[in-house]
Amino acid sequence: MKRKLLLLTAVSTFFNFPNAGAQSVKTSGSRPNIIIINMDDMGYGDTEPYGMTNIATPNFNKAAQQGIRLTNFNAAQPVCSASRASLMTGSYSNRVGIPGALMPQSPIALNPDEETIATVLKKAGYKTAMLGKWHLGSKAPYLPVHYGFESFFGLPYSNDMWPVDFNYKPVKASKGRPYLTLLEGDKAVDTIRTLDDQARLTTLYTEKAVSFINENKKKNFFLYLAHPMPHVPLAVSDKFKGKSELGIFGDVIMELDWSVGEIRKALRDSKIDKKTILIITSDNGPWKMYGDWAGSSAGFREGKGTSFEGGTRVPCIIIWPDNIPAGMVNSELMTNMDILPTVAAACGAALPVKKIDGMNFLPMLTGLETKGPRDTFYYYYNDPAELRAIRYKSWKMVFAHHSGSYDADRGMNGKMGTYGAFDAKTALYDLSRDPGETYDVQNQYPEIVAKILKLAEDAREDLGDKLTDRIGKNVRNPANAAIK
C-alpha cells in the first residue's frame, strides 16, 4: 500500500498546463530534477546489465538494480546528429530537418524555433546545463545556450572531426577538419589537439557535472551530460588505463562506469537522489568497423549507420527512487523521442507547441500501467530520409534498400576496417523469436504485412520517404547555418 501511495502522489495529479504532459507531480516542491547521461556509440551489449563480459561495470549494475532496465529501447536514428535531434525535440529527426552526422562546416543546424527538453524545462522554472558533445550546430547561434541551456561546456561535434585521419595519422588542419574546440557557452576556451587532450574529457565533464549538482541542489535542475566516448578515437585517463581485460575499449567503459558512480554519489551526498530522475542511454549502436576498439550489439544484427537492431537498439536505465520500482526489467517498445514528453509529465511542464512524435511513458515506468503507449516505430535513415523499416509490436518489416554492413574485415588497435554494403530485401521479422533478424516470415503472416504497409503509407504521407520519392506534408526546415 505504501508504494502505491507514493506512486499516486508522484504521477496522478493533473496540472492545467496547455499541452502539458498527461500526468504531473503534485507540487512544485516535489518536482524531480532531471539528469540525462547520453553515451556516444555505446552498444546494447557494452555493460554487464546488458550482457557484457570481462569488463567490470559495478555502477551500471547498481543503476539497473535500483531502477528500470529497458530492453526494447531504440534511438530514433542510428547516427549522431539525427539521434540527438530526436532526443532533444521529441521528434523524428527528419521532421525537424536534421539528417546523419553534421560536419563542422554543415550548412544546416537544428532550428532554434524548435523547443528542446531544455526549453521546456527552463520555461517550467528549471536551471538547465549541458556538458559534452552537442552536434546539432557548430557555431553561434546554433550552440546549446541558444536552445534552452543556460550554460554549456563541451565540444560542438564528434571527437573524430579533427585533423587526424581514421587511422590516427595527422593531416593538415582545414575548414573541413579544424582542431577540436572546447567551448564554454559560445566562447572557445581550449583546443583539443592530441589523444592525451581527449583523455581528460570524461573526467573533466564528470567533475563539472558533480559541481553543478552541488551548486544547484536546492533548485530544480536539468543536466544533460553527453559523453563523447566510447566513440573513436578512444582515450582514457591514467587512472583507468590498462585496467580492463579488453584493452582500451574496456578501460573507456570502466571510466564511464566510474562517471555514473560519481554522479550518483553526488546526488546521495546532496540528499537529492530521491528527487532526481536519472536516465542513462546511448545515441546509437556500436561502430563495429573498429573491431576491438568498438562495442557490442549483443547479437543484434549490424550496428551504427544501419537500420537493423544493432544500429538503433541501445541500453537505457532509468532511476527515480520510491517512484520507479527497483530492479524492474521492461520489454515495452520505447524510443529516445519519448524522453521529452515523459520528463515533461514528471515535471509538470508544457509540451512543445509544434507537433512531436514522443509519447508519455511515465505511468509505465512508475508501475501504474503494465503497457507503454507506443506500438509503432519508423526506422528512418540517410539524407534524404529513407523509410527503411517499421516496427509494429514485436514485428519488424524491412523495406528493400541499400545498406551499409559490418560483414567485412574489422580493424584492430584503432585502425579502421572495411565498411561493406549490400542490398537488403523486403522481409518481415518476428523480433520476439528472431531478434537477429534472420528469418523472413512474410508468407506466414500476410495480415501483419498488410497492417505494416498501411502504417508505411501513413509515415510517407506525414514524414516522406526517399525510397518511394515521397515528400512529407509535416516536416519542418532546419536552420540555415551556411558559412558566409
Side-chain angles (χ1 to χ4, degrees), residues 9 51 60 103 119 152 189 229 254 299 308 311 333 357 397 402 443 483:
T9 299
F60 283 104
M103 298 303 291
T119 309
F152 167 61
V189 293
M229 303 291 166
M254 289 180 70
F308 295 98
L333 173 62
D357 302 289
M397 190 166 185
H402 188 70
N443 294 335
I483 304 294

Side-chain angles (χ1 to χ4, degrees), residues 301 307-309 379 387-391 395-401 403 422-429 431 437 440 442 452-453 460 467:
R301 188 173 176 181
S307 296
F308 295 98
E309 290 301 286
Y379 296 74
L387 180 61
R388 292 187 169 187
I390 290 181
R391 172 85 178 264
W395 304 96
K396 181 175 179 180
M397 190 166 185
V398 174
F399 303 114
H401 67 275
S403 175
F422 74 106
D423 290 319
K425 297 179 180 179
T426 298
L428 179 69
Y429 301 111
L431 296 180
E437 298 170 275
D440 180 11
Q442 287 183 88
I452 294 179
L453 289 177
R460 291 163 182 150
L467 292 175

Side-chain angles (χ1 to χ4, degrees), residues 443-455:
N443 294 335
Q444 291 93 322
Y445 298 95
E447 72 284 3
I448 299 298
V449 171
K451 169 68 176 178
I452 294 179
L453 289 177
K454 173 62 170 63
L455 292 171

Side-chain angles (χ1 to χ4, degrees), residues 107-124:
I108 66 169
L110 182 66
N111 197 319
D113 290 340
E114 299 291 345
E115 294 180 76
T116 67
I117 299 177
T119 309
V120 164
L121 293 183
K122 184 178 179 182
K123 288 180 179 178

